[in-house]
Amino acid sequence: MPTSQPLPKVVVPPYDKNNVFARILRGEMPFEWVYGNQYVMAFRDIAPVAKVHVLVVPRGAYVNYHDFIENAPANEQLGFWKAVDHVARELGLAENGWRMVANTGKDAGQVVPHFHIHILGGEPLGPMDNPPRQN
Ligand code: 5GP
C-alpha cells in the first residue's frame, strides 16, 4: 500500500465522563488496585478471563486507542506504555509471557469507552481463536 495516501480520518465519539473507568479513576467506585502513577491506574478486571487479568487505563480522558494516539501528549503515551511494561513485570508475567489486548470500537466489542489495555496471563492462554468463530 502506498504510504503517500492520507489515512482515513478517525471519528472518535464524544468522551462519556460517566463511563465506569472514569468513575473508578475519580474514586467513585470500588476496584482492586494493582498499580498507579501520574499517568495510569491498573486494577483487576471484575470478570477475569485468565488467571491474571488486569486493566491498565490512562488517567487522561481518551475514548479508544486512536483517540489516545492522536490526542494524548507524548509524555502521557510513553508513561502509559512504560507502565504496562512495569505492571506485567511486577505481576511476574514476563518470564512465561502474557497477552495484551486493546478492544477498539464495535467490531472488537469494546464495552467501556475509556481507552484501556487488558493484561492477560498467569497460565497458558491458548490460541487467539478460542472460542473458534461460528461463521
Ligand atoms: P472492553 O471490552 O471494553 O475492552 O473491556 C472492558 C472490561 O472492563 C471487561 O473485561 C469488564 O469485565 C471490565 N469491567 C467492566 N466493569 C467493570 C468494573 O466495574 N470494574 C472492573 N474492575 N472491571 C470492569
Side-chain angles (χ1 to χ4, degrees):
M1 184 184 275
T3 53
S4 55
Q5 293 291 325
L7 289 170
K9 197 166 159 34
V10 175
V11 179
V12 177
Y15 184 80
D16 169 13
K17 288 189 176 125
N18 287 319
N19 76 74
V20 70
F21 296 166
R23 296 184 61 207
I24 286 175
L25 285 162
R26 289 197 297 268
E28 295 171 3
M29 283 184 60
F31 62 93
E32 199 178 329
W33 191 91
V34 171
Y35 177 75
N37 67 16
Q38 69 190 105
Y39 300 111
V40 307
M41 271 182 42
F43 46 88
R44 305 265 173 197
D45 196 291
I46 203 169
V49 298
K51 194 166 170 190
V52 175
H53 187 169
V54 168
L55 302 166
V56 186
V57 310
R59 288 190 186 273
Y62 305 103
V63 172
N64 61 24
Y65 177 75
H66 297 296
D67 189 16
F68 183 64
I69 293 297
E70 292 252 305
N71 298 315
N75 64 322
E76 287 185 33
Q77 296 194 30
L78 182 61
F80 178 82
W81 295 116
K82 285 184 86 70
V84 172
D85 165 79
H86 180 103
V87 170
R89 289 162 69 181
E90 193 169 75
L91 291 168
L93 302 177
E95 186 177 350
N96 285 340
W98 56 286
R99 183 172 291 155
M100 183 186 327
V101 173
N103 291 321
T104 307
K106 70 176 162 51
D107 278 2
Q110 181 181 357
V111 171
V112 180
H114 180 114
F115 172 56
H116 55 280
I117 66 100
H118 300 248
I119 289 178
L120 302 166
E123 61 183 336
L125 295 171
M128 292 262 293
D129 64 349
N130 186 16
R133 282 201 249 175
Q134 299 301 304
N135 54 3

